[in-house]
Amino acid sequence: MSVPAPVCSLPDEAPPGPAGMLIRAMFYPAVITICFACFGAWSPLALDLRVFLAICVGGALIALGEWWLPFKREWRGFGRDSWDDALYLVLVQQGLVRLAEGAWVWLWIKTLQAVPPAAPGAWAQLPLAAQFVLLLLIGEFGKYWVHRWSHEWPWLWRFHAVHHSVPRVYWFNVGRFHPLDKFLQMFSESLLFLALGAPREAIALYALFYAVNGFFQHANIDLRLGPLNRIISSAQQHRFHHSRAIAESNTNYGNKLSLYDQLFGTYYLPHGQGPLEYGLINRDYPKGFWAQLWAPFQAGLDQAGAPSGNPLWAWLLRRLIVARIRWKGGLAQRRLRRAQRDLRATQTRVLLAILAAQRETAFGRQHGFAAIRTIADFQCQVPVHGYEDLRPWIEQQEATGEPRLNHEPPRFYALTSGSTGQPKLIPVTGSAFAAYRRLQDLWLYHSLKLCPELFEGQYLAFVGAAEEGKLPSGRSFGSTSGHVYQTLPTLVRRAYVVPPEVFELHDAELKYLLILRLAIAEAGISFIGSVNPSTLVLVQELLNRHLAPLLADLEAGGFFRADALPAPLREALRGRLGPVPGRADQLRALARQDPTGALPLGQVWPNTRMVACWQGGGCRLAFAKLQGLFSASVVWREIGYLASEFRGTTPLSDGAVGGMPNLVDYVYEFVPVADWERGQPRFLLLDELETGQDYYLFVTTGYGLYRYHMNDIVRVSERPEGVPRLLFLQKGKGVTSITGEKLYEQQFLTAVVRLGEHTPAYRGIEALALADVEAAGYLVLVESGSLDETALARWAAALDGELAAINLEYAAKRDSGRLQPPRAIGVKEGCFAALRRFQAEHGQRESQVKLIHVQRREDLAFDWESWRLGKV
């Protein structure tokens, strides 16, 4: 074993003179001699009482020695921790030991009755002193290895860490052992001695020496034992065993003797001043008796983090969450399986159920719902609707309370951006909300199958505000995801690190800083969910920018922008912003490992098992950037096609190209993109779609959206078992044409991603193409500080080639000279984050901000010119 380099600390006072040295050298043997003398002198008393009284004498003398000859003056006396040490001595060292020994004796007697011993023991042939020494050698050998394994085996260390949690070492904390740790130790000594049939008096001597030497091991006495350190395991050695430095604490495993440490290479005593620091790496490890009973059940707590309540309760909570998901999600999965057998019959059944429920509404009577028998009837009688077609019906029902569009009054309205500048209010009824929850259970069910460890820690989710405002009627509007989060069962919500009130903040930067402050205190987050990956990219940027004040808050408690929080939110956060200095130390150390001082999210939350977000469409580039922040072991889970209007698909497997349409809740219609753009729409159903084809999507729901034009383009990626999987490509407006090339956002993003796949220097680049009609070419904004003007020109030329390979019309227009090559302009880091904030401030809901990566230059109102590289 490698011996750690000596680390010296200054002694509390000047070295003692010759008389002081003699006292410090003789105090230990004198007290041990007195204790054994008392044991012998009180022979008329019961054996257990003799041992107890002799131990009390030793404890009293050692306590006096701590006042008379302290190693550290600040460690003297009793404090708050002494009450917990007393509980350990009474409940663990006495109560547990007596119970275990009694049970062991009973079991041993029963065993001997069944199988009598072959021969009497040889103990009686040995003198008492020899019996004692033999027990000492036997017990210490087992004790040494159990102790050493408790440091070297992680699952044992979690229990033994309780003993190392104390920041000071004094005689009274000798008994601070977790009950399971203590029970394991007993197998190497007292229970073993009983099994060997050792005489009770020899065991009594062993117990006396064990206790008094244990007091001495932890005594705050400035002992100078010299050569005696090579025989006994003394306080001088044991202080290094309690060092905060792991290289020092993984030494001196002996409990009574140092012989085995010397024999197996773990003896360590470089000097008599002890280590610089004592205790565990995590200074926030719980110190109280009851809290320490549960602490070992929280993995890694000795290293970082604060205990998240009762770990046993947390374990039970996770089991309940998993059981609920398996039950609810399993029901939804079986329902979906039945529906897949006949797509046309299922969609007809869903449609007729919707129409039957809505036939008495004003909209249903006007469109003859009662007479509709087939999907074809429905297509004949009900035209395609955009939101503006439905807006009057929604507003009339809200104003009058009459069932104009829905027979069931809305529970709330989902808010999303409108194409006319007015926001869209999507009615969400109770049954619609229940369907949304059911589909979320289905998504979680498959997530759990992909990653069984998903729910082993805590959860960090980014959602919209449940309530962003109220209508004159008093009904609220906001985010469906926010409502789901807000209405989680109380037990489930305890596993989330951010309370729902935080998401009501309108200031996006303030909200994300507060989320960071709450979340960085937790090292055990296992699941992170954010629909939009750019949200997490923004969170990373904010963490890098505000790392110092956030870590200062983590160390001292509080939040540096608390004054900006509304009073109700401050009240909701009471008790959640306490100090966790050990966690702050750990994160600072991680930040120092990076040359730039950055702290990747994957290092902040190293136990993350799954990150869920959009991966395709306009989020491809942000997703690629996000992937670089986490380790390769993280499972990336696609959210699926999700909009404020409805939950379009549920991905059933990791890495799936598309998601399962939620055909038991909605009715889907599709028009091939080319047909729609020619003005000759051909409406198709799920069973009529072709793999690899792109379609505009139209949906009918049970809450008032009829043949609703989503203006979204989806692709059929595959058809396992005859059921199409749908992949969202882009919004219908994400297409431009300067000279007839019809460049789609999806084509541009594919070209950018391919460049990163071919050339490492181009990975992680985020770009946006602006159609410049006057220049007859595309102006491409590129956010990458690693590319100078020359490199940007090369990148633009490579992009030109990729676009020509993807889009034949683009290639033809470029070959003819009608379309000029793209021009790349570098913009400063943070430009696209600023653009997203700009969009949120000008109509788009912050949680739904999606960059349109291909658009006309005149349509982009954002002042990107001020972000040009080199511009002051």
Side-chain angles (χ1 to χ4, degrees):
M1 178 174 180
S2 61
V3 178
V7 179
C8 298
S9 61
L10 295 175
D12 284 353
E13 56 188 45
M21 289 291 290
L22 181 62
I23 293 172
R24 287 166 170 79
M26 295 304 298
F27 189 81
Y28 172 86
V31 171
I32 292 292
T33 301
I34 291 171
C35 290
F36 275 106
C38 291
F39 176 82
W42 294 329
S43 55
L45 301 176
L47 190 60
D48 286 352
L49 182 58
R50 291 164 60 192
V51 173
F52 176 72
L53 292 176
I55 291 173
C56 289
V57 170
L61 291 173
I62 291 169
L64 289 173
E66 288 195 339
W67 279 97
W68 184 34
L69 302 170
F71 175 71
K72 286 185 178 290
R73 292 185 179 277
E74 67 269 22
W75 285 359
R76 291 194 306 185
F78 294 100
R80 171 63 186 86
D81 56 339
S82 302
W83 168 249
D84 299 304
D85 292 327
L87 288 176
Y88 274 106
L89 285 171
V90 173
L91 298 181
V92 178
Q93 296 293 336
Q94 295 299 315
L96 175 68
V97 169
R98 296 295 172 261
L99 286 173
E101 287 179 346
W104 184 258
V105 169
W106 178 85
L107 179 62
W108 196 250
I109 291 173
K110 291 296 183 182
T111 303
L112 291 178
Q113 288 174 348
V115 184
W123 291 99
Q125 301 175 16
L126 299 174
L128 180 60
Q131 294 174 7
F132 167 67
V133 171
L134 184 58
L135 286 184
L136 198 58
L137 293 173
I138 293 172
E140 187 68 7
F141 181 81
K143 189 87 169 182
Y144 171 89
W145 283 107
V146 168
H147 193 179
R148 182 167 175 172
W149 292 333
S150 295
H151 280 250
E152 296 177 350
W153 296 359
W155 64 278
L156 286 178
W157 167 250
R158 286 162 63 172
F159 294 92
H160 188 63
V162 167
H163 183 66
H164 286 257
S165 63
V166 289
R168 67 166 176 159
V169 182
Y170 76 124
W171 75 279
F172 206 48
N173 60 24
V174 63
R176 187 178 284 257
F177 286 97
H178 192 277
L180 293 181
D181 186 26
K182 182 63 182 177
F183 186 72
L184 178 63
Q185 294 176 21
M186 291 175 65
F187 278 97
S188 68
E189 41 179 15
S190 56
L191 299 184
L192 175 62
F193 298 161
L194 292 174
L196 292 174
R200 291 187 66 234
E201 192 162 6
I203 295 177
L205 285 174
Y206 179 91
L208 172 58
F209 184 68
Y210 170 89
V212 177
N213 191 76
F215 287 153
F216 265 117
Q217 262 196 326
H218 293 77
N220 179 31
I221 302 176
D222 189 13
L223 300 174
R224 307 294 172 91
L225 301 184
L228 196 56
N229 282 308
R230 289 290 179 174
I231 300 174
I232 66 162
S233 180
S234 71
Q236 288 182 280
Q237 303 158 41
H238 201 68
R239 289 182 189 122
F240 287 101
H241 182 73
H242 277 267
S243 172
R244 191 165 180 252
I246 295 176
E248 292 182 333
S249 66
N250 285 354
T251 61
N252 300 331
Y253 297 114
N255 179 254
K256 295 164 287 297
L257 304 176
S258 65
L259 301 178
Y260 294 117
D261 279 302
Q262 296 173 69
L263 181 62
F264 298 114
T266 53
Y267 181 85
Y268 180 64
L269 184 58
H271 50 76
Q273 280 74 50
L276 283 173
E277 295 182 286
Y278 294 77
L280 298 172
I281 291 176
N282 180 15
R283 300 185 186 282
D284 304 307
Y285 193 92
K287 302 299 189 294
F289 176 80
W290 300 109
Q292 288 192 341
L293 291 182
W294 309 118
F297 297 97
Q298 185 170 334
L301 188 56
D302 65 296
Q303 297 289 321
S308 53
N310 185 324
L312 188 60
W313 172 245
W315 178 88
L316 178 60
L317 173 61
R318 295 185 192 108
R319 302 287 79 76
L320 291 172
I321 291 172
V322 168
R324 180 189 181 279
I325 290 171
R326 286 178 174 161
W327 172 46
K328 293 278 192 179
L331 290 175
Q333 173 66 9
R334 287 190 288 274
R335 184 169 175 245
L336 183 61
R337 284 286 184 192
R338 290 193 298 269
Q340 291 176 225
R341 297 169 187 166
D342 189 332
L343 298 181
R344 181 66 65 95
T346 295
Q347 288 282 270
T348 301
R349 186 167 56 252
V350 172
L351 175 64
L352 294 180
I354 291 172
L355 300 182
Q358 306 281 32
R359 69 176 59 180
E360 296 305 320
T361 63
F363 188 94
R365 290 195 300 272
Q366 179 173 315
H367 292 86
F369 282 5
I372 295 174
R373 297 291 180 268
T374 65
I375 293 178
D377 293 345
F378 178 64
Q379 291 173 333
C380 288
Q381 293 184 214
V382 180
V384 168
H385 290 88
Y387 183 81
E388 297 308 320
D389 301 316
L390 297 175
R391 187 188 293 275
W393 298 90
I394 294 171
E395 292 178 347
Q396 289 168 18
Q397 176 156 342
E398 182 61 24
T400 65
E402 299 174 359
R404 303 287 296 170
L405 188 65
N406 280 294
H407 79 288
E408 183 182 359
R411 177 172 173 172
F412 65 94
Y413 289 95
L415 181 69
T416 187
S417 305
S419 58
T420 64
Q422 283 186 283
K424 295 187 289 188
L425 295 174
I426 308 298
V428 181
T429 61
S431 56
F433 190 65
Y436 190 97
R437 294 287 293 269
R438 185 169 59 248
L439 293 173
Q440 180 160 325
D441 289 334
L442 179 64
W443 185 90
L444 289 170
Y445 173 79
H446 286 280
S447 299
L448 190 61
K449 290 174 67 175
L450 291 169
C451 182
E453 306 86 14
L454 171 60
F455 297 108
E456 289 306 307
Q458 293 163 290
Y459 323 139
L460 173 60
F462 293 82
V463 300
E467 183 176 303
E468 298 188 38
K470 286 186 179 294
L471 298 172
S473 65
R475 194 168 280 116
S476 67
F477 55 85
S479 158
T480 304
S481 64
H483 271 273
V484 171
Y485 195 89
Q486 192 178 65
T487 58
L488 286 171
T490 303
L491 290 179
V492 177
R493 201 162 63 230
R494 289 181 182 176
Y496 286 83
V497 299
V498 180
E501 294 86 351
V502 172
F503 297 103
E504 304 298 322
L505 282 171
H506 296 295
D507 184 328
E509 181 170 304
L510 177 64
K511 175 173 63 178
Y512 290 137
L513 284 172
L514 179 56
I515 291 172
L516 273 171
R517 169 62 183 89
L518 292 164
I520 62 174
E522 306 294 343
I525 290 174
S526 61
F527 170 75
I528 300 175
S530 171
V531 173
N532 201 325
S534 65
T535 297
L536 288 170
V537 173
L538 175 60
V539 165
Q540 176 68 79
E541 294 172 355
L542 287 173
L543 178 62
N544 292 340
R545 199 185 320 151
H546 299 279
L547 184 59
L550 284 170
L551 293 185
D553 288 342
L554 191 59
E555 182 172 41
F559 175 49
F560 73 102
R561 293 195 59 186
D563 291 344
L565 302 177
L569 179 54
R570 289 200 298 269
E571 181 63 28
L573 294 173
R574 184 182 297 276
R576 287 180 175 264
L577 297 173
V580 195
R583 175 70 169 150
D585 290 344
Q586 183 198 34
L587 294 178
R588 283 196 185 97
L590 288 171
R592 285 194 294 268
Q593 296 174 10
D594 189 283
T596 65
L599 191 57
L601 296 182
Q603 291 187 25
V604 177
W605 301 302
N607 297 311
T608 303
R609 298 291 179 265
M610 176 181 286
V611 178
C613 63
W614 280 328
Q615 300 176 19
C619 295
R620 290 178 67 182
L621 301 182
F623 174 64
K625 189 177 287 188
L626 179 62
Q627 283 182 296
L629 303 177
F630 288 86
S631 72
S633 63
V634 167
V635 175
W636 294 96
R637 182 79 163 111
E638 170 61 59
I639 293 287
Y641 175 31
L642 176 65
S644 297
E645 289 84 356
F646 83 132
R647 186 164 194 145
T649 66
T650 302
L652 301 185
S653 62
D654 183 34
V657 180
M660 169 73 74
N662 296 314
L663 63 159
V664 293
D665 294 287
Y666 313 112
V667 178
Y668 295 77
E669 296 179 71
F670 305 85
V671 175
V673 170
D675 290 1
W676 182 260
E677 292 178 352
R678 282 198 303 265
Q680 300 174 346
R682 200 165 36 97
F683 288 91
L684 306 175
L685 302 179
L686 282 168
D687 57 310
E688 300 175 297
L689 303 184
E690 298 180 20
T691 302
Q693 297 301 307
D694 299 344
Y695 302 90
Y696 276 92
L697 174 63
F698 304 80
V699 65
T700 296
T701 73
Y703 43 90
L705 304 183
Y706 301 104
R707 308 195 71 198
Y708 184 84
H709 182 22
M710 292 294 298
N711 192 30
D712 288 341
I713 298 175
V714 297
R715 174 174 294 166
V716 178
S717 59
E718 53 184 342
R719 290 179 58 93
E721 301 177 353
V723 182
R725 298 295 192 266
L726 305 181
L727 173 67
F728 172 79
L729 290 183
Q730 64 186 55
K731 297 298 293 182
K733 60 185 177 182
V735 59
T736 58
S737 182
I738 297 174
T739 62
E741 75 280 1
K742 293 183 182 176
L743 178 63
Y744 287 84
E745 180 182 33
Q746 182 67 18
Q747 295 171 340
F748 174 76
L749 292 173
T750 298
V752 173
V753 170
R754 283 185 184 176
L755 290 178
E757 293 171 348
H758 299 330
T759 307
Y762 298 157
R763 289 176 188 162
I765 286 177
E766 188 165 8
L768 185 149
L770 299 175
D772 190 343
V773 177
E774 292 185 5
Y778 285 87
L779 188 65
V780 184
L781 308 183
V782 179
E783 183 176 304
S784 175
S786 63
L787 301 182
D788 57 20
E789 289 188 10
T790 303
L792 279 171
R794 286 197 298 267
W795 181 86
L799 176 69
D800 191 33
E802 288 291 346
L803 291 175
I806 294 170
N807 185 323
L808 295 179
E809 289 296 329
Y810 177 95
K813 302 304 185 289
R814 284 286 293 113
D815 289 342
S816 69
R818 286 177 287 173
L819 187 65
Q820 298 301 309
R823 294 175 294 130
I825 294 179
V827 293
K828 301 171 187 175
E829 285 287 328
C831 174
F832 290 141
L835 173 55
R836 291 185 178 95
R837 289 195 296 271
F838 175 87
Q839 290 179 311
E841 293 166 1
H842 291 78
Q844 284 200 40
R845 289 180 58 216
E846 176 274 320
S847 61
Q848 293 183 337
V849 169
K850 305 181 188 74
L851 291 189
I852 301 173
H853 289 83
V854 174
Q855 55 182 293
R856 297 186 304 171
R857 182 172 181 176
E858 58 268 30
D859 291 341
L860 184 61
F862 175 72
D863 180 21
W864 60 266
E865 286 277 2
S866 62
W867 288 84
R868 270 187 186 240
L869 284 175
K871 191 175 183 70
V872 179

